[in-house]
Amino acid sequence: MGHFKPIKKATGSIATIGALCKTLSISVDELNQALDMPIQDRYSPPKKELFKSDGTPRVAYKPHHQIRKIQRRINKRILGQEGYIDWPDHIYGSVPNKKLPGGGEVVKDYIACARQHCMAKSLLKMDVKDFFDNIHIDLVFSIFNKFLCFSDDVSRALANITCRGEFVVQGGLTSSYLACLCLFEVEGELVSRLRSKGLIYTRLIDDITVSSKRSGYDFAFARQIIEDMLFSKDLPVNLNKTAVYYHSSAPLMVHGLRISFVELRLPASEVGKIRAAVKDIELLATDHLYRITHAYRHDFNRVMGRVNKLKRMKHKQHENLKNRMLNNYPLPAFKDILRARLAVNKVEVDYPEKKGTYWYKKRFYRAHERLNLLKISFPDVTTELREKLRGLRPTHD
């Protein structure tokens, strides 16, 4: 049995702004420049309008590069650093997988979340309305101050740098971690109360699911105490996404997966769509000229991602479909050799001064991806360029 509350595993605290800057490997001037930046300059609105699954607009802002740099380091060195926080069993989504003492790990993605509800006969689904937009800066301050035990000055600076004005921002690099932690004071007790009634509770960022192995279970109590918990933190419930489901009326689904079995299953229609997508790739691959294009690579990678989902589901068709895909791997063109050489040369030039930056790391791994494409048709060139990259690995950002 796991624990119900997040636990700070790291010892000590960050007591001063100087210590914070040392932790994040930035200067005090860099931090002050970011804190003094006007709110309207910190985040740019999306270039195109995005929509949620229910058709409502989704506004995901893009952080300024200075804000992005600091938020990324807050994630890597505090919120998402391995061993810094021990995340409870009911939290899934944008949190690190949990390493096990004897090797292996506990995966924390949506598939693992849905798996907790296997064999359920009754489901309650709830959703926090406009979750990020309702996480107030005071709540963020309390995460850094009360949970992580940082000083008031440090907590204020971190809350300022991770919010857009008074609230957490959709698109901020730290936002998902803060969303997972914002109920740290109250959620554990709720989970314990629900477990005592034989109920399983999970939260995938803002999607709350409660399940029972009993048919026709009355979730009135569970719904009430969840609403009370959310309201205590000024988080509104999305009534349009609150519903109860029973296995007798339709197949029970959690995060798009069927959970009425010992193991998760994809909907039969989804498996059929994946088979059809693989067949489409096979047909496209018969055109050799198209098989060397960027468009084909994009199609191939998208379908391969769907095929790999079958592996997580332990689906019997995974191996067959994977092999069919690998038989139609994208082929490089001669111009890809030039692109790969340019990418490696760029990495080589940037290494002395930029090896510790985020963008260098992206270019380094992008160069490796180009070589993965070349190795099928141009193994000698691939070996030569890999040797160059061997001594150019990025340092920690």
Side-chain angles (χ1 to χ4, degrees):
M1 178 68 69
H3 55 88
F4 299 139
K5 291 184 178 182
I7 299 170
K8 180 188 175 184
K9 300 287 285 184
T11 57
S13 174
I14 301 179
T16 66
I17 294 297
L20 173 64
C21 291
K22 185 177 180 181
T23 299
L24 303 179
S25 299
I26 59 174
S27 67
V28 174
D29 285 344
E30 279 183 277
L31 179 62
N32 287 334
Q33 284 175 16
L35 292 173
D36 291 340
M37 191 182 299
I39 294 299
Q40 64 270 20
D41 294 341
R42 293 190 191 186
Y43 299 91
S44 55
K47 293 181 180 178
K48 64 179 182 179
E49 196 167 14
L50 304 173
F51 296 92
K52 302 178 186 177
S53 58
D54 61 2
T56 56
R58 181 194 298 276
V59 181
Y61 290 88
K62 181 180 179 182
H64 184 278
H65 68 88
Q66 283 181 274
I67 302 295
R68 175 181 288 272
K69 174 183 176 180
I70 297 173
Q71 289 184 351
R72 187 171 60 250
R73 293 190 182 180
I74 292 170
N75 280 353
K76 292 189 69 173
R77 303 187 184 188
I78 301 174
L79 299 176
Q81 181 182 326
E82 184 180 336
Y84 206 97
I85 297 172
D86 190 1
W87 296 89
D89 294 346
H90 63 272
I91 294 292
Y92 293 85
S94 300
V95 298
N97 293 342
K98 186 182 294 187
K99 303 292 183 183
L100 298 175
E105 61 183 8
V106 177
V107 181
K108 302 290 281 183
D109 66 1
Y110 77 100
I111 295 176
C113 183
R115 187 168 279 127
Q116 303 306 305
H117 301 282
C118 279
M119 298 299 290
K121 292 183 170 60
S122 303
L123 284 179
L124 167 66
K125 293 185 181 182
M126 300 179 69
D127 181 86
V128 184
K129 187 175 183 180
D130 299 326
F131 195 17
F132 290 173
D133 296 340
N134 279 293
I135 301 175
H136 193 267
I137 192 170
D138 291 346
L139 191 50
V140 176
F141 173 85
S142 73
I143 291 171
F144 291 113
N145 190 242
K146 294 182 181 179
F147 174 64
L148 293 174
C149 303
F150 297 165
S151 71
D152 288 0
D153 286 347
V154 169
S155 298
R156 271 192 291 270
L158 288 169
N160 186 313
I161 215 77
T162 55
C163 289
R164 180 177 179 268
E166 293 291 298
F167 298 93
V168 168
V169 60
Q170 181 90 26
L173 275 63
T174 49
S175 295
S176 292
Y177 282 112
L178 296 174
C180 290
L181 283 170
C182 71
L183 298 171
F184 75 94
E185 294 178 298
V186 293
E187 195 169 34
E189 181 185 354
L190 175 136
V191 176
S192 180
R193 293 173 71 184
L194 293 177
R195 288 283 177 95
S196 69
K197 295 191 176 292
L199 301 176
I200 299 296
Y201 171 103
T202 61
R203 178 162 65 89
L204 183 77
I205 311 296
D206 58 347
D207 288 330
I208 293 171
T209 305
V210 182
S211 68
S212 170
K213 299 292 194 294
R214 289 163 52 185
S215 299
Y217 188 86
D218 182 357
F219 286 106
F221 169 77
R223 175 173 174 171
Q224 185 61 59
I225 65 171
I226 292 170
E227 287 182 351
D228 291 345
M229 173 189 71
L230 295 174
F231 290 159
S232 74
K233 297 300 179 183
D234 296 328
L235 297 170
V237 174
N238 188 339
L239 297 178
N240 292 330
K241 289 189 175 180
T242 298
V244 173
Y245 304 88
Y246 298 117
H247 77 296
S248 58
S249 55
L252 292 184
M253 308 276 286
V254 175
H255 308 314
L257 304 171
R258 297 176 67 186
I259 53 92
S260 300
F261 309 94
V262 175
E263 277 291 343
L264 289 174
R265 294 186 187 179
L266 282 168
S269 60
E270 176 66 12
V271 178
K273 289 175 183 176
I274 294 173
R275 280 199 306 268
V278 172
K279 183 63 177 176
D280 287 342
I281 289 294
E282 290 174 328
L283 292 173
L284 290 172
T286 59
D287 183 343
H288 181 80
L289 292 178
Y290 187 70
R291 194 172 167 183
I292 66 175
T293 64
H294 179 77
Y296 179 80
R297 294 171 204 170
H298 175 77
D299 291 340
F300 179 92
N301 290 334
R302 181 174 50 81
V303 176
M304 195 64 170
R306 295 174 69 187
V307 169
N308 286 336
K309 187 195 294 188
L310 296 175
K311 181 179 181 180
R312 289 291 317 279
M313 308 297 298
K314 301 179 182 178
H315 198 283
K316 61 183 180 181
Q317 293 193 37
H318 167 257
E319 196 66 24
N320 174 50
L321 293 176
K322 181 192 75 172
N323 290 334
R324 286 170 60 184
M325 289 292 292
L326 292 178
N327 287 335
N328 294 282
Y329 203 84
L331 296 176
F334 281 105
K335 63 183 177 183
D336 288 308
I337 297 178
L338 176 61
R339 288 173 178 162
R341 289 193 184 280
L342 288 173
V344 172
N345 288 342
K346 178 68 173 171
V347 168
E348 203 169 21
V349 169
D350 287 347
Y351 178 77
E353 294 183 4
K354 300 180 181 179
K355 59 187 174 185
T357 66
Y358 171 75
W359 297 110
Y360 177 85
K361 182 178 179 180
K362 285 196 71 171
R363 284 197 295 272
F364 176 86
Y365 287 110
R366 192 177 296 133
H368 262 295
E369 287 174 11
R370 290 192 181 280
L371 297 185
N372 289 337
L373 178 68
L374 284 184
K375 66 183 180 183
I376 297 174
S377 300
F378 307 106
D380 293 341
V381 174
T382 304
T383 301
E384 172 203 338
L385 295 178
R386 281 210 198 282
E387 282 299 317
K388 278 192 174 184
L389 286 177
R390 196 180 300 279
L392 302 173
R393 295 193 71 82
T395 57
H396 291 299
D397 183 12

